[in-house]
Amino acid sequence: MRLDKYLSDCGIDTRSKCKKYIRQGRVLVNDILITDEAFHVRDEDSVVFDQKPIKLQKQLYLMFHKPAGCVCALSDSMHKTVLDYFPSEIKKRLLIVGRLDKDTEGLLFLTDDGAFVHHLMAPKKHVEKSYYFCARGHLCDEACDMVASGMDIGDETPTKPATLKILRTDADQILGVLSITEGRYHQVKRMMKVLGVEVTYLKRISIGKIRLDDNLSAGEFRALTDKELELLNYHQREK
Ligand code: URA
């Protein structure tokens, strides 16, 4: 396969941007700098882009830093969607793993592998998701215990035991991290409301053992590494 197609199939960027990256000397094949976009890559070749090894996977597993202001939907007539941040070459194939509110930013996975979505989203899997928040108001004294034992937030059943860590409390602002294993509608905001405060900023910082990569600015994405897929206990059917 041509090198520019190889990079774009790996989810690096659009085909034309990948050609540019190759010409800029950002790609090594078997430790040799290749600047010819038409170079033929074989299955056994090792390809490195910007010092990071990449591997062609038949399926895509992407980490995205969702910015606030876009919705987690495949299409929306009113709002920008997360898919607007992806090149058209791969966007048609992508599924969004879970949902974040329009005003929430942070870690989101996208894939074209339905089994991966199920692996992370099935309620029985109890994958922990952590959210950094800023909130306004006065947090009730028993907040951490209430979160730990499960709370009534107006649903049929109480929330599953979760963890609240307070990082800082100022006169009228609380910063902390709430880790939950469910994904109910507006769950973090609703839990915090019952605890007496209103969330003013929310960012998902981890899913299972995977933390949002600090090198990804809002709106950027990269492929999940094999190591990260392993940490998610996911064993792909195909590579
Ligand atoms: N909980 C919320 O309230 N909003 C999100 O976007 C995610 C979790």
Side-chain angles (χ1 to χ4, degrees):
M1 179 189 298
R2 280 174 61 110
L3 185 55
D4 54 348
K5 179 159 178 8
Y6 186 92
L7 293 184
S8 116
D9 284 0
C10 285
I12 297 295
D13 215 320
T14 59
R15 191 92 178 252
S16 60
K17 292 244 181 76
C18 289
K19 285 182 186 169
K20 205 161 105 196
Y21 301 152
I22 296 164
R23 284 185 226 129
Q24 287 170 342
R26 292 165 67 177
V27 182
L28 304 181
V29 179
N30 302 329
D31 297 327
I32 296 167
L33 180 69
I34 303 292
T35 52
D36 173 10
E37 68 238 30
F39 181 88
H40 180 78
V41 186
R42 298 157 306 168
D43 281 353
E44 62 273 27
D45 289 337
S46 80
V47 181
V48 171
F49 171 68
D50 278 353
Q51 284 100 47
K52 289 198 198 94
I54 55 168
K55 196 143 109 206
L56 182 64
Q57 295 174 332
K58 291 220 173 72
Q59 296 191 291
L60 285 172
Y61 304 92
L62 304 175
M63 169 190 288
F64 177 53
H65 183 164
K66 177 194 177 292
C70 61
V71 295
C72 288
L74 298 182
S75 70
D76 190 295
S77 54
M78 303 266 287
H79 306 105
K80 203 172 165 104
T81 77
V82 291
L83 290 188
D84 291 334
Y85 291 86
F86 291 84
S88 52
E89 282 84 349
I90 58 168
K91 156 175 187 172
K92 290 178 259 357
R93 295 157 55 188
L94 290 177
L95 305 166
I96 305 165
V97 185
R99 294 278 177 274
L100 290 175
D101 297 337
K102 183 171 166 230
D103 58 355
T104 302
E105 70 167 282
L107 179 59
L108 189 68
F109 296 144
L110 291 100
T111 183
D112 58 354
D113 178 0
F116 184 62
V117 180
H118 177 77
H119 177 74
L120 292 173
M121 296 305 298
K124 278 198 219 127
K125 304 274 182 170
H126 306 302
V127 179
E128 187 175 78
K129 285 142 292 210
S130 293
Y131 296 85
Y132 170 81
F133 64 84
C134 302
R136 164 168 64 208
H138 179 73
L139 198 64
C140 67
D141 295 338
E142 318 76 40
C144 292
D145 292 342
M146 287 169 72
V147 167
S149 52
M151 299 168 50
D152 179 359
I153 57 168
D155 293 341
E156 276 176 15
T157 54
T159 56
K160 291 237 154 41
T163 315
L164 175 64
K165 228 187 272 170
I166 304 300
L167 302 176
R168 210 172 96 190
T169 310
D170 296 336
D172 194 31
Q173 178 168 253
I174 294 141
L175 311 181
V177 175
L178 179 59
S179 301
I180 57 177
T181 58
E182 301 167 283
R184 301 186 193 191
Y185 179 67
H186 288 171
Q187 184 166 348
V188 173
K189 291 173 187 160
R190 290 197 292 144
M191 287 174 74
M192 297 309 294
K193 190 152 188 222
V194 172
L195 300 173
V197 298
E198 185 197 347
V199 171
T200 54
Y201 172 79
L202 193 59
K203 177 178 185 179
R204 182 154 66 193
I205 53 174
S206 67
I207 298 176
K209 292 182 182 146
I210 306 303
R211 284 187 71 84
L212 177 62
D213 187 335
D214 289 336
N215 295 316
L216 283 185
S217 304
E220 291 183 342
F221 68 92
R222 68 158 171 80
L224 286 167
T225 61
D226 285 351
K227 177 91 202 303
E228 286 170 331
L229 288 169
E230 250 170 56
L231 285 170
L232 291 167
N233 288 321
Y234 191 64
H235 306 287
Q236 299 147 259
R237 284 164 299 166
E238 295 181 75
K239 272 195 186 177

